[in-house]
Every structure is written in structure tokens, then in C-alpha cells.
Amino acid sequence: MSEERYAIDVRGLTKRFGKKVAVNGIDIAVPEGQVWGFLGPNGSGKTTTIRMLCGLLNADAGEGTCLGYDFRTQSEQIKLETGYMTQKFSFWEDLSIRENLDFVARLYQLPKRHALVDRTLEKLGLKQRQHQLAGDLSGGWKQRMALAACTLHSPKLLLLDEPTAGVDPKARRDFWDEIHNLASTGITVLVSTHYMDEAERCDRIVYISVGNIVARGTVAEIIEQSKLITFTIEGEAARPLAERLRGLPGVVFVTFFGAVLHVSGYDRAKLDTALAPYRSDPHLVIRETTPTLEDVFIELQETNGEGNS
Amino acid sequence: MNGSFSLARISAMLGKEFIQMKRDRLTLAMLVGIPLMQLFLFGYAINMVPRHLATVVSISDPGMFTDSILAALSESSYFDVVKATNSPVEARRMLADGRASFVVNIPANFSRDLVRGAHPSLLVEADATDPAAGSYALAALPTLVNTALRDDLTGPLAARAAQTPAFNVVVHQLYNPENNTQYNIVPGLLGVILTMTMVMATSIALTRERERGTYENLLAMPTRPVEIMIGKIVPNIFVGAIQSALILSVAKYVFGVPMIGSFVLLSATAMIYITALLAVGYTISTVAQNQMQAMQMTFFVFLPSIMLSGFIFPFRGMPVWAQWIGEVMPITHFLRIVRGILLKGNGPAEVWSDVWPMILFLFAAGTIAVRRFRRTLD
């Protein structure tokens, strides 16, 4: 443990916008070579945190290092060894795919640029379309191109801000395969996402809400920590039940997962009381289940603040 | 009825528009600022009958009437005697580099010839690159001198005063003898058109990156503010060069504007001017939030550039404060340079006094832009 080296090791990271505290003194330590998921509702401070780590925003307080460099004073060095993929596609849509990659390679002053871009295009499978404008690519392809571009300089740290928002499932899966490929070469990845399946692919998860980290650990640890008790209710009569259960003592939240109703709370006795009237209904199947990560996240979001913003 | 025309919908639309208008502070500022700016510029700064025109008196005759002529010129509101010299070369030089609008030559033996009744001539050389600027002053000059000398011509010389006139005033319209207004306006257009296009070109440089979201990416990569600035400015220098070539060709072949001076010198100074304008535009783009704002700010630059530079209205006719504003702007200096090179055939020595202010401006604008440039998204 003492030998473990951290790609990101910051404490008390704080950012204010006017009076609003966007990030409220958080600590993050990501060991080298791991893939960490960064979760939290919209506006919780994920993007702000990532931007502070790569020097795009000045932190109001906090100390620590990124890749061994002081993140507050050595952002130029950090930039050289970090790949940052923005939430919105931020490459030049009026440049071709090749021109974009070439531009990036030139800014980083990469040697044997031409061959490198060739290889990257080949690997991406965009060799045939290299002269197409980046703006003409579909969402999934834009994502892949952006990833290729921000890893062109072989960074040691990858910061990905909701990289798969609005991308189809197949492209998302390919994207994640690529992330794990990169991680296997020793790159550290911090990726923010709203997707549970993606969160489950991460080594560790950090959950942030209104600028504070409210949960962290592996998926199993986070579920364990939550102390949540969840019942599922299945059956044709389940649908109208949601409104009736919501607000009953002991019921913290009620959500549909497909046609299955999840009823969660902390107090087993109260939950049992709430569910008792429906146990006898032959059209309903009620059973206890291990809460899913999504249950836990909804719980975190409900108990920690703004809810959906 | 409800389907065709609805007051409720109109009021909804009005409500939304007023809210948006209120939120758009810069446009509101423009609605107030532009009229005020125009009122003050037209009302105070513009003067179609310029007074206090810089005048050099070249004295080749230290005779008894010289002092009277000097005093008369100084007292007149049309002329400001900035220098009295006995070197005709120096006087001519000041006319060429624009420090003076007139040279009044008092020829050798003027006093003697006047006393003898030989009708000597006062030779007035006028900078006619802007024909309108000096016409009123020139018209007033003979009367002025005549009145002054009448006081001197007393006693035995009273007879000379009675003669009308006791002397002649010969006016040489230098540089533009035909008083062709186009010769003044067309070279001036070079400066004005470049101001319009060049400032606009770079004013959207960063705002466009910002609007498209590519700015964040640019900042996340290892780029320095100066590198980004140079990258944004240099391509537009070529655009400016092509524009200049186009305008000058039309000036020469369509309007027949004379081109006496060195084309190389003109090109070199035009490059400095273009770069200075691009730096202004780039500074705007570090401030403006979006392209719309950038355009509005460009307009704020454009208005005084036309009004206070001496493009349309005689520079010397403006009050001193307006001249100071004018002196700060590169266009004022460039207009003098272009007219000087094309019409007067000025060389490096004459144009230098207008070149260094442009260079100074360029460096100041560049420094502000680099300092304004935010390396973070804060």
C-alpha cells in the first residue's frame, strides 16, 4: 500500500463561482493504472473538478499533485502528459479527421508525426474517411476520434468528461473496451458518467453531490455502505402502487426499473408495514433484493440534495 | 378567429422579446452609446471651416514688414504659426511630413520692394492633399495681410497703402494642384476599408472558438497565448495585403490617383497598419463573449476611426481633445502616410513621425491582448 503511486492525489479541492460553491473541499486519490468512475447528478461539480485537475480552472483552495506535479502551479507540465476529453465534442468540425489529428500532433510536437497519424487512423478504422470533415461524423465516431486525438501524445492520465453521452450502446461498449485497453498499458483514467453499466466497469467509484463526495469505493462497497434495503414488486397491478407507496413511513424512494417497482428504505420494520397490505395480492410478487447501484445512486441523489437539476 | 390572429400570442411574444432585450446589456449600451457618440462627434468635433491650421513662415527677408505679417498671421484664428524659419528647405519639409498645412514665404527684398511700390509677391504654399481643409484660410489670407500692413504704411508710405493691392499673394496648391477630392478620398479609403475588414476578421477569432466549444480543447493542449495570437493574426495579414493591392489598383487605374512615392515603403507601412488593426480585433475577441458582441465592439472602433481620423473631415479642424483621440488611432497616422507617399512622394524620413505611433499602438494592443487572454476558463 505504501508503495502505491497516485496519478491524482489532491486534497481539499475547492471552487467557487461567486457565492456558489461548486466543489467543496474534496479529496481524490487515484492510484496509477486504475479506472475510476466519477458520478453525480448534473451540476454536482464533476466537470469543474476535472477542469481544475488539468489546469483549465484555477482552484480556490486545495493542494496536491497530478502525475507528481503540483496541480496549482505546474499545469503546463500536467497538460503535456494528460489527455482531456471534453463533454461536448471540441475538435474542429471544419477540419478533416486527419487535419484534426495532425494539428494535435503538432501542438504536442510529436516526432514522426505523419506515421503516427497514419497509424492512429488505421487503428481507428478511419483511414478511408480521413479526409472527411470531423463535423460530418456521427456521434459515436466523433467520440472515437476525440479519444484517439486526446491519446495521441500517449498521456499518462486520461480525464474523460461524460464521454459517452448520446452515443449508441454498441459504440459505448467499444469505447469502454478501448478505455480498458488503455488502462492495461498503465494509463490512469478518471471518467465521469451517468450510466450505471459504465460505473460498474470502473475499479472504483466516486460519487459527488452538490460539491461534496458522498460515497466512494468499489461497486460492492458502495452498495454495502448504503445500508439500503430494497424490495421489488412485479406484476400487472404494480404500476398504480408507486403513488400509494411513495411517502409512506420508512419508504425512502420508489422507482420503476422497466416494469419492476423498486421500493427502498433503511428501516426493515417500517418497510414491511408499508408493504404488508399488498403481500396477499395474487397479482403481485414482492421479494427482497440486493439493491442495484442505480438504487443506491438514486438514494444518494434524493438524500444529498437537489435531486434532478 | 383565434387561429388567425391572437393578441394573447402577440403579448407573449412581446414579453419574451422585452426580457431578451433587457438581458442583452451590450446591445442596450449600443442603443444609448452610438447616438451619444455620434452627437458629440458631429456636434463638437466636426468643423467644416477648420481654423488654427499649422503654418510655417519662411523668412528670406528680415525687413520691416516681416514682424507685422507674422503678428497678423498669429492673431488670426485661421493660422497658427508653429515656426518661423529662414530655411525654405525646412519649411518645405514640414509641409511634406504634415507638421504644417501652409508655408508663407516672405521673399528676399519683400519690404524694400513694397516700399518702392514694386508689388512684391507673398508666396503661399498650401498642402492641397485635402483641398477642403485649407480653402477658407487661403481665402482669408490676402485681406489679413493687407489689413496688417495698412498700419505700417503710414507717413510717407501711406500712398502704398492706398494702392490696392500693394502686393500679390500667390498660392501654390501643392501635391494636388487640381484640387481633386478623389485624390484625397480614395487613398483614405484604403485606411478605412482595412479598418472595417481587419478589425472584424480577428474580433471573432477567439469568440468563434468559444462558441463552438473548441476553445476549451485549445486550452487543454500545450499552447501559449502568444502562439495562439500569432496564429490568429498572421493569416489575416495576407488577406489585408490582397485587399490593399486591390484597392490601390482601383485607385490607380480607375480613379487615376497619382502614386509618386515608393511602393515598397507604402507596402511596409501598410503591413504595420494591418497588423495593428488585427491586434485591436484580437483584443476585442479576448473580451467579447460571443460573435455578436464582437461585431458590436468592432462598430465602436469603426465610428471614431471614420470621424476623427481626418478621413472625411479635416483633422486640423477638430478641437484639440478630438485630435488627441485621433492621434491615438492608427488610422489617423496611416491616412497621413498613404496620402503623403502617394500624393507628396514622401520618403522614410517624412513618414517616420507617423510610423512609430502605429508601432507603439501595435505593441500596446498586442500586450493588452496577451494579458487579457485567459489561460483558464475562469
Side-chain angles (χ1 to χ4, degrees):
Chain A
M1 188 66 197
S2 59
E3 279 302 298
E4 202 158 37
R5 284 156 43 93
Y6 294 95
I8 300 173
D9 187 6
V10 293
R11 291 165 301 280
L13 199 58
T14 303
K15 182 71 191 176
R16 292 179 213 98
F17 295 112
K19 280 183 184 157
K20 188 178 176 287
V21 180
V23 175
N24 187 16
I26 65 171
D27 305 344
I28 303 178
V30 184
E32 282 183 1
Q34 292 202 356
V35 179
W36 276 40
F38 201 15
L39 287 96
N42 294 328
S44 56
K46 301 190 297 288
T47 301
T48 306
T49 304
I50 290 177
R51 283 176 174 170
M52 280 192 282
L53 291 175
C54 61
L56 285 178
L57 283 176
N58 291 316
D60 290 315
E63 50 163 29
T65 59
C66 239
L67 301 170
Y69 301 109
D70 186 328
F71 85 98
R72 300 190 72 168
T73 57
Q74 294 177 295
S75 61
E76 294 306 311
Q77 282 94 324
I78 295 171
K79 280 180 189 174
L80 281 176
E81 296 176 28
T82 301
Y84 170 47
M85 189 167 153
T86 54
Q87 196 166 343
K88 183 175 170 279
F89 182 71
S90 64
F91 285 86
W92 288 265
E93 300 206 336
D94 47 358
L95 293 187
S96 73
I97 298 158
R98 185 180 190 100
E99 286 159 348
N100 267 299
L101 293 175
D102 196 58
F103 175 59
V104 173
R106 293 177 77 168
L107 282 187
Y108 284 100
Q109 304 180 60
L110 302 177
K112 303 203 183 86
R113 192 176 85 230
H114 200 80
L116 176 69
V117 171
D118 271 340
R119 245 181 297 128
T120 310
L121 285 166
E122 198 104 40
K123 220 167 65 184
L124 267 175
L126 283 173
K127 186 105 187 177
Q128 307 304 317
R129 303 162 68 182
Q130 56 174 302
H131 298 299
Q132 214 174 311
L133 296 185
D136 294 341
L137 288 171
S138 68
W141 278 108
K142 276 184 183 167
Q143 233 66 4
R144 295 194 62 189
M145 194 214 95
L147 183 64
C150 67
T151 52
L152 203 60
H153 61 295
S154 316
K156 292 180 184 157
L157 172 65
L158 255 186
L159 301 169
L160 309 172
D161 194 3
E162 292 186 29
T164 55
V167 173
D168 68 56
K170 167 77 167 66
R172 266 174 55 198
R173 180 175 301 175
D174 293 345
F175 191 84
W176 271 87
D177 288 343
E178 181 61 22
I179 287 178
H180 281 284
N181 277 340
L182 289 165
S184 68
T185 65
I187 297 184
T188 312
V189 182
L190 180 64
V191 51
S192 75
T193 178
H194 285 301
Y195 296 109
M196 293 308 129
D197 58 318
E198 294 187 352
E200 283 167 351
R201 283 164 160 258
C202 297
D203 295 318
R204 287 273 191 298
I205 294 163
V206 173
Y207 188 93
I208 183 172
S209 176
V210 209
N212 294 291
I213 292 179
V214 293
R216 64 171 92 211
T218 62
V219 172
E221 282 165 2
I222 286 188
I223 292 173
E224 171 71 30
Q225 283 162 17
S226 75
K227 305 270 192 289
L228 204 65
I229 298 157
T230 301
F231 287 90
T232 59
I233 305 177
E234 281 176 88
E236 285 173 29
R239 207 161 284 280
L241 238 55
E243 278 314 310
R244 272 181 252 161
L245 288 169
R246 206 163 273 154
L248 288 182
V251 177
V252 175
F253 65 93
V254 181
T255 349
F256 276 103
F257 285 70
V260 182
L261 193 62
H262 283 220
V263 183
S264 306
Y266 302 108
D267 191 324
R268 181 173 298 277
K270 283 186 183 166
L271 268 181
D272 277 336
T273 317
L275 290 170
Y278 309 104
R279 295 259 185 209
S280 54
D281 193 324
H283 300 292
L284 295 172
V285 183
I286 301 180
R287 57 171 98 93
E288 188 175 350
T289 181
T290 319
T292 63
L293 194 58
E294 189 155 349
D295 286 317
V296 176
F297 284 151
I298 291 168
E299 180 264 331
L300 287 171
Q301 194 163 338
E302 300 254 323
T303 49
N304 282 291
E306 307 161 298
N308 285 317
S309 51
Chain B
M1 184 63 209
N2 199 16
S4 58
F5 190 83
S6 153
L7 279 178
R9 282 198 296 261
I10 289 176
S11 69
M13 202 63 207
L14 286 175
K16 164 184 161 291
E17 292 302 322
F18 275 121
I19 291 170
Q20 288 180 317
M21 196 186 275
K22 207 171 66 192
R23 300 267 154 83
D24 189 357
R25 293 281 170 78
L26 196 73
T27 303
L28 268 185
M30 275 248 308
L31 291 177
V32 179
I34 294 285
L36 282 181
M37 203 157 146
Q38 284 186 323
L39 277 171
F40 280 105
L41 291 187
F42 277 117
Y44 285 122
I46 308 307
N47 180 2
M48 296 308 284
V49 186
R51 291 167 193 275
H52 304 289
L53 297 165
T55 305
V56 177
V57 182
S58 169
I59 303 166
S60 307
D61 171 43
M64 57 190 285
F65 299 116
T66 299
D67 284 344
S68 303
I69 293 173
L70 265 176
L73 287 173
S74 299
E75 273 166 35
S76 146
S77 65
Y78 284 112
F79 303 94
D80 272 358
V81 177
V82 292
K83 182 134 192 150
T85 174
N86 49 25
S87 155
V89 179
E90 190 191 2
R92 192 60 174 272
R93 170 86 179 276
M94 287 177 76
L95 199 63
D97 65 21
R99 273 180 290 163
S101 302
F102 300 107
V103 174
V104 177
N105 290 292
I106 301 177
N109 304 325
F110 178 81
S111 301
R112 193 196 68 194
D113 289 351
L114 191 68
V115 171
R116 286 183 182 168
H119 297 279
S121 296
L122 266 187
L123 175 64
V124 178
E125 292 166 304
D127 178 353
T129 48
D130 185 356
S135 53
Y136 288 91
L138 281 178
L141 187 68
T143 326
L144 210 75
V145 179
N146 223 346
T147 313
L149 294 187
R150 187 163 296 148
D151 297 336
D152 287 344
L153 297 170
T154 49
L157 295 173
R160 296 285 174 267
Q163 292 180 342
T164 321
F167 58 94
N168 305 311
V169 173
V170 179
V171 176
H172 279 185
Q173 302 270 13
L174 290 183
Y175 314 125
N176 183 5
E178 291 157 33
N179 277 350
N180 191 333
T181 312
Q182 282 171 350
Y183 289 0
N184 187 50
I185 293 292
V186 175
L189 275 173
L190 176 61
V192 171
I193 292 172
L194 285 174
T195 291
M196 284 174 77
T197 54
M198 293 295 101
V199 175
M200 203 182 289
T202 41
S203 71
I204 58 170
L206 290 179
T207 44
R208 196 171 54 190
E209 301 265 0
R210 221 171 270 145
E211 276 180 12
R212 293 184 183 178
T214 51
Y215 188 65
E216 185 174 4
N217 203 349
L218 204 57
L219 290 185
M221 293 195 278
T223 42
R224 303 206 173 271
V226 180
E227 293 162 357
I228 294 176
M229 181 173 80
I230 293 173
K232 291 285 185 187
I233 285 183
V234 170
N236 286 304
I237 295 181
F238 290 99
V239 178
I242 292 168
Q243 270 187 353
S244 308
L246 197 69
I247 297 167
L248 286 172
S249 304
V250 172
K252 182 171 173 129
Y253 297 110
V254 178
F255 292 101
V257 174
M259 296 192 180
I260 301 170
S262 151
F263 182 72
V264 175
L265 182 64
L266 182 61
S267 307
T269 51
M271 287 297 136
I272 298 169
Y273 175 60
I274 288 167
T275 314
L277 294 175
L278 292 169
V280 176
Y282 190 76
T283 309
I284 289 177
S285 84
T286 61
V287 182
Q289 291 302 311
N290 51 52
Q291 298 193 40
M292 176 69 185
Q293 282 192 4
M295 288 297 162
Q296 290 174 330
M297 291 185 199
T298 302
F299 194 69
F300 267 115
V301 172
F302 186 52
L303 196 60
S305 295
I306 288 197
M307 307 281 243
L308 302 182
S309 61
F311 168 59
I312 308 178
F313 310 109
F315 188 81
R316 301 283 178 207
M318 301 191 303
V320 178
W321 61 266
Q323 291 194 22
W324 274 108
I325 297 175
E327 294 284 358
V328 174
M329 299 186 301
I331 185 172
T332 309
H333 299 283
F334 186 65
L335 292 188
R336 288 183 200 149
I337 292 172
V338 182
R339 289 167 177 167
I341 293 175
L342 293 184
L343 304 179
K344 301 179 183 177
N346 281 353
E350 286 90 2
V351 300
W352 173 246
S353 62
D354 281 310
V355 170
W356 70 258
M358 292 203 305
I359 296 176
L360 191 69
F361 184 93
L362 168 59
F363 276 98
T367 309
I368 293 171
V370 170
R371 292 181 136 238
R372 282 279 330 172
F373 187 92
R374 309 231 164 152
R375 309 182 83 170
T376 64
L377 299 167
D378 283 277

